[in-house]
């Protein structure tokens, strides 16, 4: 296989085709419509199902039904569309079905705009749908990673009968980079032993998220939780950059993480010992790695394209082991590397408060148009 | 080692396609590259730009505040990107559609009547390739040959018949940047800057 120049959205769509997706249901929304567009011609071409639903609510419920048959299925949307899908996603989680959903996150809340953002972290990582469930969330920072993680999402979803999200952003979706697509996998013919396939010559199976018997619902909740601990044990993924001798550590995922890499390189060129941890799975979160880095670091800087949603997780994990600062841009604004380099200069030259609220400090020193 | 190039103009002038050809040339030369378009609720005649980052290692940010080179196809793009260009950067200006010179003295500016050159080759839609040829002459990021090969290898099949004129546009742009091509009877803003052109260059 050779590296081609691929746009993130098309690349994720074709990666799903090659991973053997059997049915796609979706509804157009920028900045991910190219996924739906690609699927609209590619799926019929390979004899599989493509359906543009009348809304995201319809699409997610079609996906729910299709997933019950044990087929590899997926949808994709962007922030406001994913909000509309939340009820269905909770039902899918409660029914313990493997489903892949790509969220190409855009500026919000509300209708917001179509620019890159990471504002859906809390909604995707910490739920959004009702009830107790734990989704797998993969956060690509490049087109190649978007391809690889889309394929991985199907495998993890099926291994753990779980929701698996690919949480990209408008930048990953719209950018073109050299990348290599995987070989075409054959479509899986066998169906799992829980799938509803017609019950010919066997006991019928019932798939539902209704447990009117509360003990059975509690048992289901325990099953989901046990499965989640297995995911946490086996599936944490992250990328490390310049961490071996780092005295200062940046934590950032997705696009914010790769922008931070540019700032880290610039700081290294000045002799500053700074490194970067880029979580690839944001759920399960690389908590042990962050905790270990905090033991050695003089200070940690969390960089996000939101108000510090992952920051809350980092604070909970670090438990005051090292001082933490935060830098974010929001609402579709993408930071430039020099903004993060300025923050690196600040935390390396001035003492960082070991307590207090890093988000509040950031808000107080950040005034767009002044000091930037 | 990393080089960032912004290519900007009206929608339809081929800024995005010129950036893609640059990206293809980088890949085929074994380099890493990102091509990041401006995207928004835009329409034909609105602004269009892309940032191409070319490097010999994993690329961090696909956008930079101060690019090393800017290829500006119209006046609004000149106004926007001239102040942002890195010191000692390369600024290629489509003189056919601007009414002023480069004002910064700390950048390497070139005014090129790209649209007139394109029209003498036979099609104003070649303007972007004239500009790209001038860029690689001024900026030592990729040799002209790599751009020519990229066009040859990646021009969509339906546009193959346009290949010779696109190659000619690249070569004439480079020749102008070397001072080897004179264009008679044109000056700044010789053409009306309000007119937009067709969606892609080829």
């Amino acid at each position: 296989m050779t590296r081609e120049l691929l746009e993130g959205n098309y690349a994720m769509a074709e990666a799903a085709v090659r991973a053997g997706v059997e049915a796609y249901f979706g509804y157009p929304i920028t900045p991910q419509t190219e996924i739906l567009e690609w699927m609209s011609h590619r799926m019929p071409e390979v004899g599989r199902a493509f359906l543009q639903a009348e809304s995201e609510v319809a699409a997610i419920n079609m996906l729910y039904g299709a997933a019950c048959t044990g087929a590899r299925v997926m949808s994709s949307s962007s922030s406001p569309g994913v909000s509309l899908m939340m009820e269905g996603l909770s039902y899918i989680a409660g029914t313990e079905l493997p489903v892949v959903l790509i969220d190409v996150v855009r500026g919000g809340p509300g209708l917001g705009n179509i620019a890159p953002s990471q504002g859906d972290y809390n909604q995707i990582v910490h739920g959004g749908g009702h009830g107790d469930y734990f989704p797998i969330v993969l956060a690509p920072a490049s087109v190649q990673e978007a391809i690889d993680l889309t394929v991985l999402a199907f495998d993890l979803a099926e291994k753990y009968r779980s929701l698996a999200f690919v949480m990209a952003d408008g930048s990953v979706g719209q950018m073109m980079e050299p990348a290599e697509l995987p070989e075409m996998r054959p479509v899986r013919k066998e169906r799992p032993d829980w799938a509803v396939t017609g019950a010919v010559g066997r006991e019928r199976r019932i798939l539902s998220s209704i447990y009117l018997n509360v003990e059975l619902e509690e048992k289901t909740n325990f099953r989901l939780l046990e499965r989640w601990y297995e995911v946490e044990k086996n599936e944490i993924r992250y990328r490390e950059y310049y961490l071996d001798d780092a005295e200062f550590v940046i934590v950032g995922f997705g696009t914010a993480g790769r922008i931070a890499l540019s700032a880290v390189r610039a700081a290294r060129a000045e002799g500053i010992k700074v490194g970067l941890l880029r979580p690839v799975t944001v759920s399960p979160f690389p908590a042990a790695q962050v905790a270990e880095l905090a033991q050695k670091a003089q200070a940690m800087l969390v960089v996000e394209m939101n108000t510090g949603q992952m920051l809350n997780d980092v604070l909970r994990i670090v438990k005051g082991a090292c001082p933490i600062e935060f830098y974010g841009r929001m609402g579709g604004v993408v930071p430039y590397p020099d903004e993060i380099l300025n923050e690196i200069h600040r935390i390396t030259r001035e003492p960082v408060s070991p307590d207090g609220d890093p988000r509040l400090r950031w808000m107080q020193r950040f005034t767009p148009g002044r000091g930037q | 080692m990393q080089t960032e190039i912004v290519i900007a103009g009206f929608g339809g002038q081929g800024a995005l396609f010129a950036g893609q050809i640059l990206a293809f040339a980088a890949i085929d030369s074994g380099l890493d590259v990102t091509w990041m378009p401006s995207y928004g609720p835009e329409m034909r005649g609105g602004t269009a730009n892309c940032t191409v980052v070319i490097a010999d290692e994993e690329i961090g940010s696909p956008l930079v505040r101060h690019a090393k080179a800017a290829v500006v196809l119209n006046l609004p793009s000149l106004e926007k990107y001239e102040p942002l260009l890195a010191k000692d950067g390369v600024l290629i200006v489509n003189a056919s559609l601007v009414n002023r010179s480069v004002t910064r003295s700390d950048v390497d500016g070139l005014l090129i009547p790209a649209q007139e050159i394109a029209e003498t080759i036979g099609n104003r839609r070649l303007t972007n390739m004239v500009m790209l040829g001038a860029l690689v002459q001024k900026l030592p990021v990729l040799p002209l040959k790599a751009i020519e090969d990229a066009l040859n290898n990646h021009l969509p099949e339906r546009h193959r018949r346009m290949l010779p004129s696109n190659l000619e546009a690249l070569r004439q742009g480079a020749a102008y940047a070397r001072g080897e091509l004179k264009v008679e009877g044109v000056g700044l803003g010789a053409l009306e800057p309000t007119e937009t052109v067709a969606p892609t260059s080829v």
Side-chain angles (χ1 to χ4, degrees), chain B residues 6-85:
Chain B
V6 173
I7 307 178
F10 294 125
Q13 282 186 300
L16 302 187
F17 181 76
Q20 287 179 2
I21 289 299
L22 199 54
F24 278 124
I27 296 180
D28 294 347
S29 304
L31 296 165
D32 213 342
V33 64
T34 60
W35 176 92
M36 183 74 207
S38 62
Y39 71 92
E42 285 151 3
M43 54 185 154
R44 178 138 348 143
T47 61
N49 71 70
C50 63
T51 302
V52 179
V53 179
I54 299 172
D56 55 7
E57 60 182 348
E58 180 184 349
I59 295 171
S61 179
L63 295 172
V64 292
R65 194 186 300 276
H66 306 295
K68 296 226 174 61
V71 176
V72 298
L73 290 153
N74 63 7
L75 186 60
S77 302
L78 178 63
E79 302 288 359
K80 180 173 179 187
Y81 289 105
E82 183 181 4
L84 290 174
L85 193 62

Side-chain angles (χ1 to χ4, degrees), chain A residues 24 26-28 32-40 50 52 76:
Chain A
Y24 174 97
Y27 188 79
Q32 66 78 50
T33 299
E34 293 91 345
I35 297 177
L36 179 114
E37 181 202 349
W38 186 268
M39 289 305 202
S40 71
F50 166 86
Q52 180 175 326
S76 62

Side-chain angles (χ1 to χ4, degrees), chain A residues 221-251:
Chain A
N221 275 277
F222 267 121
R223 192 165 57 244
L224 292 173
L225 184 59
E226 281 162 9
R227 211 174 273 156
W228 178 248
Y229 276 113
E230 283 297 303
V231 174
E232 283 202 327
K233 199 168 78 188
N234 301 329
E235 307 300 347
I236 287 170
R237 288 166 171 82
Y238 52 89
R239 283 287 303 272
E240 297 172 297
Y241 303 86
Y242 307 100
L243 282 172
D244 285 346
D245 64 341
E247 294 167 358
F248 300 89
V249 174
I250 301 186
V251 183

Side-chain angles (χ1 to χ4, degrees), chain A residues 5 15 40-41 49 93 112 142 146 154 172 190-191 215 218 270 273 284 294 302 308 319 328 347 352:
Chain A
L5 186 65
S40 71
H41 71 80
S142 66
F154 284 104
V172 172
E190 70 279 12
R191 292 289 178 241
E215 279 82 19
E218 188 180 52
E270 299 171 11
K273 288 188 174 173
V302 176
K319 297 189 187 77
I347 64 166
V352 178

Side-chain angles (χ1 to χ4, degrees), chain A residues 27 35 53 101 103 187 207 328 357:
Chain A
Y27 188 79
I35 297 177
L101 179 68
D103 180 5
V187 169
L207 289 170
D357 180 357

Side-chain angles (χ1 to χ4, degrees), chain B residues 1-153:
Chain B
M1 187 56 199
Q2 176 173 307
T3 307
E4 313 91 18
I5 302 118
V6 173
I7 307 178
F10 294 125
Q13 282 186 300
L16 302 187
F17 181 76
Q20 287 179 2
I21 289 299
L22 199 54
F24 278 124
I27 296 180
D28 294 347
S29 304
L31 296 165
D32 213 342
V33 64
T34 60
W35 176 92
M36 183 74 207
S38 62
Y39 71 92
E42 285 151 3
M43 54 185 154
R44 178 138 348 143
T47 61
N49 71 70
C50 63
T51 302
V52 179
V53 179
I54 299 172
D56 55 7
E57 60 182 348
E58 180 184 349
I59 295 171
S61 179
L63 295 172
V64 292
R65 194 186 300 276
H66 306 295
K68 296 226 174 61
V71 176
V72 298
L73 290 153
N74 63 7
L75 186 60
S77 302
L78 178 63
E79 302 288 359
K80 180 173 179 187
Y81 289 105
E82 183 181 4
L84 290 174
L85 193 62
K87 189 174 173 298
D88 302 322
V90 170
L91 180 59
I92 310 292
V93 181
N94 179 16
S96 310
L97 292 186
V98 304
N99 57 9
R100 69 169 178 85
S101 290
V102 174
T103 53
R104 279 178 63 177
S105 56
D106 62 346
V107 300
D108 183 7
L110 174 74
L111 274 78
I112 172 169
Q115 192 159 315
E116 283 88 349
I117 294 172
E119 283 172 350
T120 61
I121 300 167
N123 193 336
R124 73 160 65 148
R125 289 154 73 184
L126 297 165
T127 302
N128 60 345
M129 290 299 124
V130 175
M131 297 288 284
L132 191 57
L135 172 76
V136 294
Q137 183 63 45
K138 284 281 195 183
L139 184 77
V141 61
L142 288 165
L144 183 64
K145 177 75 167 56
I147 308 289
E148 292 176 1
D149 290 347
L151 257 181
N152 195 20
N153 294 333

Side-chain angles (χ1 to χ4, degrees), chain A residues 24-91:
Chain A
Y24 174 97
F25 309 88
Y27 188 79
I29 180 170
T30 308
Q32 66 78 50
T33 299
E34 293 91 345
I35 297 177
L36 179 114
E37 181 202 349
W38 186 268
M39 289 305 202
S40 71
H41 71 80
R42 188 71 170 120
M43 292 295 271
E45 194 178 286
V46 289
R48 306 181 202 166
F50 166 86
L51 201 153
Q52 180 175 326
E54 66 268 37
S55 71
E56 288 87 349
V57 175
I60 196 68
N61 285 292
M62 292 172 182
L63 195 60
Y64 184 18
C68 289
T69 69
R72 280 207 150 176
V73 295
M74 73 171 289
S75 183
S76 62
S77 190
S78 178
S79 311
V82 175
S83 293
L84 284 167
M85 293 179 170
M86 276 300 156
E87 181 201 43
L89 288 167
S90 174
Y91 279 54

